[in-house]
Amino acid sequence: MNCEVCQLKELEVEHFEIREVLRCILHTIVFHRALGLVRPKDVDLELFEITYVQCGDVELEKKIDEKIDQFISWVEKHPNKKSQICLSFYEVKSKQPSWFTNKTERLYWEQWYANLNVTQQPKQHSSKSHLTKVVVDPGESANEERSSRRAMVEASLREVLFQIIKFVNEKKDHVPPISEGVIYFPYEITMPRKFQ
Amino acid sequence: MEMDRESGKLEQIVSQFRSKILHVVLDSRVPSLHRHQQQDSLSLSRVRKTDKWFNLVLGDRPPALENLNFSLRNLLDPMVIDIILVRHASCSSSVDNLYSPSAAAAAAGPSTETVIERWVVQYDCPRVFASPSGADASVSYKKIYKKCILLLRSLYTQMRLLPAYRIFRQLSSLNQTYNFDIVYKVSSFSHPFSREEEDGMKEYSFAPVEALPGCLCVSVTYHATLSDFNLEPLVSLPPKIITDYVGSPTTDPMRSFPSSERGAHATSFPFRGLRPPSSAPFQRPHSWSSGFHRGIPPTKTQSLAGSPPVYRTSPKPYDITSPPTDLYGNRIQNHRVSILQQATAYDEYKLSPPFSPSASPSTPTYLSGANPLLTRHCSETAPVTIPLPPTGRSNRYLSPNSSDPSRHSLPPLSPRSSKHDTSSQESPSGIRSYRKIEALRAGESPSGLSNLYSAPKVVRDSKDDSGRFSGLLSSSGSPRIGFSRSSSRLSFQDDMDDCEFSCPFDVDDVDVSDSSSQNTENKRSSEFTAQSNLVGKKSQDAAVGILVHMLRTAPPLRQDSSCYSTRSLRAEYEGGVGIASGFFMPRKTADALEELNSYREMKDLLLSKSGTQVRKEGMK
């Protein structure tokens, strides 16, 4: 079975947006891979006018939040760097037992890469206001800039979600059969090599 | 045999797949169906048989859906789900629209319908086919089933990303009402879009699921943006507490309320009945009116109507009722949905909690309460809301605390409307149930509206009798505070009318010396009126008026001349406001002079007391 890989479109986000963006992306992917009995839970993002869907599993939500925390702490230590977070789905195969090993093997059948470029917010140009004759309210222009930037991020996030939907629709054959009583396929979230 | 069994399985998968898609689409687009499902909180916890299909728990299927399944049972026919945006035109602002849905519908003008989304689910199957058999078939059906699950997951996610989801959420919000509605139409055929309609629409097709011998195809055509449709919330004025209304103890009763600079003809005299001052457009909202005025210029809040709808509606400081525009949606839907659906929807209407008879009495109070139809977004009037103090403060406003004269900022309630404390708390739920009733118009029969609108008619009929008016409200269980205030205002006015209020000097029908009368609730309002006029800014004119009244009401001397004495007059006077008796006809000049002197003394006493009289009602 081959491993399908999906590289999601890169998103330029600010530090405070990381949590919401990653929650949205990771939960959306997992919802499409939680093929057991689920009660979907709609979640509205606070920063953007987007509603995504969770599969409603509490343990899963905790795990995802933990991984996002780890990601954020890494980003704080390495600012202004592009980073990835990888969500992989695998099957557990037991290896041929031998004297030395009785391991199980993970066969990855799908990997999703969310690419984030975490930027720092530019400083306000408020110091220049007193030099100009015409009194310009720096807050207004900053607000406009912020809202247009926010709209761009929202549009990009929406594109990423549509990208997920498209991928899920087009590639279905590699998905393993659903096991009885299992809600979602085994998964892992990693932060692979970081690059500039 | 085996082939039949296998084809039966396939048919079941396809049929359930279509039902599930229909459920997902309607649940994410039609607010009424969505709310109906959400109301049943107990049902949310359990998993139904229908939920297990495709491993997606959605809750109860609306009964209409079951009938649709029946009517569209030919699986080879496509299932076309049209999501239709109904935009209501501006309406005339009339009090009658409150109580007469047909008038409201007639006055509201034509509405515009636009298909904003079209979902097409089709099982494409060639006429001649060879279905798989044996083990292959079993594996095949498991794969088909898995792929259907995946498709449904992505469809569920996509429903929340398309533009129509935002307006669905707006309509689902209980804090706001809008000038539009969403209805649906399900059929096995589709009218092709015109070129105009196609402009601005995009199409998305989900990857077909191979379900041999055919394949399941799902596609959607949708408007890429809904900003061109001018979808607006209906705006109302924020609630305003009016303290200087006619009859307020803090207001000089002889004072007129000039509004000539605004071109209005205000009067300090209460008018009989409930005629709104239609010929005199009041700028200042009166708490005792029905709340609806013509000719009031639009305020700042109305200018908000031009702004695009907000995606996430925050709770507003004021309530906005939903106009009876649902009638439109309902009427339109009758043309849209199948007869079976209509009948089943009606059954649903009758059985579901919001339409229980106990809920309907609350609606009239809501209708004519705080923010009724005043909140119509119309060009010719400015809606006025009857102020709604918060529930927590309701006691303060509604229970006339006689021990604190300064708290008489509002007229006392009419006798039966004193049940405000519990009932006002119910009113939000009354509003919610009313809004649910409004919202559930989609897909439901017009006869379902009869429960809703019969109650307002009852209110209107009882309007002429102010005494029963408030009684009706309180017996309904949820009188709004503003509304009960207006009813008490009516009883207050009637009391004033009973006092033959015909000139500025005739103030009140005073009888505060009779302590037994205070026990009677009917006297309370007139007593309050008398006291409010006596105490505080009592003018000389008022004193003279009292005197004249005494003169007029004094019994003839010949009936009981022996009762007349200066002493008795004095005693009565000292007890409170005196009532003249035996004023006329001393037989001798000396008697006349004596009487004149006594009256002089009375007058002096009255005048001296006018500045120092303590409010007796504080003691009671």
Side-chain angles (χ1 to χ4, degrees):
Chain A
M1 190 188 304
N2 51 337
C3 178
E4 296 285 350
V5 177
C6 180
Q7 289 279 354
L8 296 174
K9 186 187 161 193
E10 186 180 275
L11 290 170
E12 272 200 22
V13 296
E14 290 185 46
H15 190 272
F16 67 94
E17 292 169 338
I18 295 173
R19 187 178 297 280
E20 281 227 315
V21 165
L22 281 183
R23 264 196 193 142
C24 178
I25 292 173
L26 295 175
H27 276 287
T28 301
I29 296 169
V30 171
F31 177 67
H32 287 91
R33 292 292 177 251
L35 303 186
L37 187 67
V38 298
R39 188 186 299 273
K41 180 176 147 191
D42 294 346
V43 179
D44 298 330
L45 290 180
E46 289 175 13
L47 299 174
F48 309 103
E49 288 182 358
I50 290 175
T51 300
Y52 70 95
V53 188
Q54 292 185 6
C55 67
D57 187 80
V58 176
E59 283 301 318
L60 180 75
E61 203 177 333
K62 262 189 213 167
K63 187 82 182 287
I64 288 177
D65 282 343
E66 273 173 23
K67 290 293 178 181
I68 292 174
D69 288 339
Q70 288 176 20
F71 180 85
I72 289 173
S73 54
W74 181 89
V75 165
E76 279 169 357
K77 289 174 192 167
H78 305 86
N80 291 327
K81 279 190 179 176
K82 293 185 182 183
S83 51
Q84 275 185 336
I85 192 162
C86 178
L87 173 55
S88 311
F89 295 97
Y90 58 88
E91 273 186 297
V92 178
K93 295 277 185 190
S94 56
K95 254 184 168 177
Q96 209 167 5
S98 65
W99 283 104
F100 305 103
T101 59
N102 197 15
K103 275 187 184 175
T104 54
E105 192 184 0
R106 288 183 176 183
L107 279 178
Y108 293 92
W109 52 270
E110 193 173 80
Q111 285 178 323
W112 300 81
Y113 290 91
N115 299 295
L116 297 184
N117 186 9
V118 184
T119 58
Q120 297 294 332
Q121 201 175 3
K123 283 183 183 175
Q124 304 285 342
H125 298 291
S126 54
S127 57
K128 290 185 183 175
S129 62
H130 68 279
L131 297 173
T132 57
K133 285 183 181 176
V134 177
V135 176
V136 175
D137 181 11
E140 258 185 38
S141 58
N143 279 339
E144 281 172 11
E145 199 183 313
R146 203 179 300 126
S147 61
S148 69
R149 205 208 123 267
R150 183 74 56 85
M152 274 175 53
V153 174
E154 184 182 310
S156 300
L157 181 57
R158 216 179 273 274
E159 276 184 42
V160 166
L161 297 178
F162 276 117
Q163 195 181 355
I164 295 170
I165 290 170
K166 189 164 176 277
F167 186 88
V168 165
N169 262 276
E170 287 173 356
K171 297 180 193 296
K172 294 189 182 104
D173 292 325
H174 67 290
V175 180
I178 305 164
S179 307
E180 194 71 33
V182 177
I183 295 176
Y184 46 85
F185 293 108
Y187 69 98
E188 76 178 358
I189 301 174
T190 54
M191 276 161 281
R193 57 178 180 84
K194 292 87 183 172
F195 54 92
Q196 287 283 354
Chain B
M1 277 286 282
E2 201 174 322
M3 271 179 65
D4 290 340
R5 202 166 38 236
E6 297 303 332
S7 67
K9 273 189 191 172
L10 179 64
E11 193 176 310
Q12 211 179 9
I13 290 175
V14 173
S15 170
Q16 291 294 336
F17 180 73
R18 281 156 56 112
S19 300
K20 204 78 173 183
I21 287 187
L22 185 61
H23 194 173
V24 169
V25 170
L26 296 184
D27 202 44
S28 312
R29 290 293 183 267
V30 183
S32 56
L33 297 178
H34 179 69
R35 276 202 203 102
H36 169 75
Q37 192 265 326
Q38 277 189 334
Q39 278 164 22
D40 197 359
S41 58
L42 287 173
S43 69
L44 286 177
S45 54
R46 60 184 177 90
V47 177
R48 297 156 197 77
K49 201 175 170 185
T50 53
D51 287 332
K52 290 181 182 174
W53 276 99
F54 309 103
N55 290 338
L56 197 62
V57 179
L58 298 176
D60 271 330
R61 282 186 184 176
L65 203 143
E66 302 295 343
N67 289 321
L68 278 168
N69 282 339
F70 178 77
S71 60
L72 297 171
R73 56 190 180 278
N74 187 352
L75 299 178
L76 296 179
D77 288 339
M79 181 174 73
V80 180
I81 311 167
D82 279 345
I83 303 298
I84 302 166
L85 176 70
V86 180
R87 283 171 290 156
H88 308 299
S90 62
C91 48
S92 67
S93 37
S94 162
V95 177
D96 290 337
N97 289 344
L98 266 173
Y99 304 104
S100 172
S102 57
S111 58
T112 317
E113 295 174 14
T114 313
V115 177
I116 53 173
E117 271 183 13
R118 174 171 287 169
W119 296 83
V120 180
V121 183
Q122 187 155 15
Y123 179 58
D124 276 334
C125 181
R127 289 190 183 278
V128 180
F129 59 87
S131 56
S133 59
D136 291 338
S138 176
V139 171
S140 168
Y141 293 128
K142 281 185 180 172
K143 280 188 179 172
I144 293 169
Y145 191 70
K146 180 187 75 179
K147 292 180 181 179
C148 288
I149 293 175
L150 288 166
L151 195 154
L152 273 162
R153 293 279 198 272
S154 55
L155 185 142
Y156 192 95
T157 303
Q158 184 146 13
M159 293 295 305
R160 278 130 187 86
L161 296 176
L162 294 179
Y165 184 69
R166 291 178 65 175
I167 62 171
F168 158 75
R169 288 292 296 269
Q170 288 167 13
L171 281 175
S172 301
S173 164
L174 295 175
N175 296 327
Q176 190 80 295
T177 52
Y178 294 87
N179 64 343
F180 62 92
D181 201 359
I182 294 178
V183 301
Y184 67 95
K185 170 189 160 192
V186 184
S187 61
S188 57
F189 61 93
S190 60
H191 297 289
F193 290 119
S194 63
R195 272 213 185 150
E196 278 177 359
E197 285 172 324
E198 270 182 351
D199 288 341
M201 292 194 95
K202 286 185 180 175
E203 189 172 337
Y204 181 82
S205 296
F206 292 84
V209 172
E210 274 188 16
L212 293 174
C215 65
L216 281 164
C217 306
V218 180
S219 65
V220 58
T221 311
Y222 62 97
H223 266 277
T225 174
L226 298 177
S227 56
D228 299 334
F229 287 102
N230 197 28
L231 305 175
E232 301 160 347
L234 295 175
V235 183
S236 72
L237 292 174
K240 181 182 169 185
I241 305 295
I242 302 161
T243 55
D244 63 339
Y245 54 88
V246 172
S248 164
T250 60
T251 308
D252 183 358
M254 294 303 119
R255 180 197 130 194
S256 65
F257 287 83
S259 54
S260 56
E261 66 273 14
R262 296 174 187 170
H265 303 284
T267 173
S268 61
F269 307 131
F271 49 79
R272 294 173 186 268
L274 286 177
R275 284 196 315 272
S278 55
S279 59
F282 286 90
Q283 290 275 338
R284 184 174 63 83
H286 296 277
S287 62
W288 37 259
S289 71
S290 62
F292 198 82
H293 303 276
R294 287 179 183 273
I296 298 174
T299 62
K300 275 186 184 177
T301 53
Q302 286 190 327
S303 65
L304 292 175
S307 61
V310 177
Y311 172 73
R312 232 175 270 105
T313 54
S314 54
K316 303 287 181 187
Y318 43 88
D319 291 326
I320 296 175
T321 187
S322 61
T325 55
D326 55 295
L327 186 63
Y328 273 115
N330 191 56
R331 282 199 305 183
I332 290 160
Q333 291 140 37
N334 289 338
H335 295 300
R336 299 287 169 223
V337 302
S338 66
I339 294 168
L340 277 173
Q341 180 189 6
Q342 191 174 341
T344 313
Y346 177 65
D347 290 337
E348 177 194 6
Y349 169 85
K350 281 203 295 187
L351 293 172
S352 58
F355 303 105
S356 60
S358 60
S360 56
S362 66
T363 55
T365 61
Y366 178 72
L367 273 175
S368 36
N371 309 301
L373 340 165
L374 321 170
T375 63
R376 288 202 186 274
H377 175 63
C378 307
S379 57
E380 56 261 31
T381 88
V384 174
T385 63
I386 297 174
L388 270 187
T391 311
R393 290 185 288 149
S394 61
N395 289 333
R396 180 184 159 194
Y397 284 105
L398 296 182
S399 54
N401 187 351
S402 57
S403 62
D404 186 2
S406 64
R407 299 183 79 182
H408 280 286
S409 56
L410 298 173
L413 295 174
S414 56
R416 291 187 191 178
S417 55
S418 57
K419 293 179 190 173
H420 60 86
D421 337 29
T422 52
S423 53
S424 63
Q425 289 169 5
E426 291 166 28
S427 54
S429 61
I431 295 172
R432 263 184 236 112
S433 64
Y434 173 71
R435 283 209 174 98
K436 283 168 189 166
I437 293 166
E438 291 288 329
L440 276 159
R441 291 292 142 251
E444 289 155 9
S445 66
S447 53
L449 284 170
S450 59
N451 276 350
L452 179 63
Y453 290 105
S454 60
K457 285 180 186 169
V458 175
V459 172
R460 182 171 62 166
D461 292 339
S462 67
K463 251 203 226 178
D464 297 331
D465 185 347
S466 62
R468 277 196 291 132
F469 193 32
S470 58
L472 173 71
L473 286 176
S474 59
S475 64
S476 71
S478 59
R480 298 305 299 276
I481 292 168
F483 197 51
S484 54
R485 221 192 300 155
S486 66
S487 64
S488 66
R489 169 64 73 171
L490 293 170
S491 63
F492 165 71
Q493 292 168 9
D494 283 345
D495 288 331
M496 293 287 285
D497 291 336
D498 291 340
C499 299
E500 295 177 15
F501 194 89
S502 57
C503 77
F505 301 122
D506 280 347
V507 181
D508 299 299
D509 184 12
V510 177
D511 193 11
V512 289
S513 60
D514 184 4
S515 59
S516 62
S517 70
Q518 294 167 15
N519 297 329
T520 311
E521 284 181 332
N522 288 332
K523 287 276 184 181
R524 248 205 289 173
S525 56
S526 56
E527 174 192 314
F528 173 76
T529 308
Q531 291 163 357
S532 65
N533 283 311
L534 285 172
V535 185
K537 302 179 186 179
K538 193 168 166 134
S539 64
Q540 290 188 6
D541 289 341
V544 173
I546 293 168
L547 209 55
V548 171
H549 182 77
M550 279 162 43
L551 292 174
R552 284 186 182 176
T553 57
L557 202 62
R558 288 186 183 177
Q559 279 182 5
D560 192 4
S561 59
S562 61
C563 293
Y564 168 72
S565 70
T566 308
R567 199 179 298 170
S568 67
L569 276 173
R570 265 196 197 150
E572 280 178 76
Y573 178 75
E574 283 165 1
V577 179
I579 296 174
S581 65
F583 175 79
F584 291 106
M585 308 272 295
R587 291 194 186 86
K588 298 175 183 175
T589 309
D591 289 339
L593 281 172
E594 199 180 280
E595 201 163 329
L596 181 65
N597 286 334
S598 69
Y599 273 100
R600 273 195 190 138
E601 284 169 20
M602 251 170 47
K603 180 193 163 192
D604 291 337
L605 203 57
L606 275 172
L607 289 172
S608 64
K609 276 208 174 182
S610 65
T612 57
Q613 189 170 358
V614 178
R615 289 186 72 135
K616 302 250 168 132
E617 73 276 8
M619 306 297 289
K620 292 164 193 164

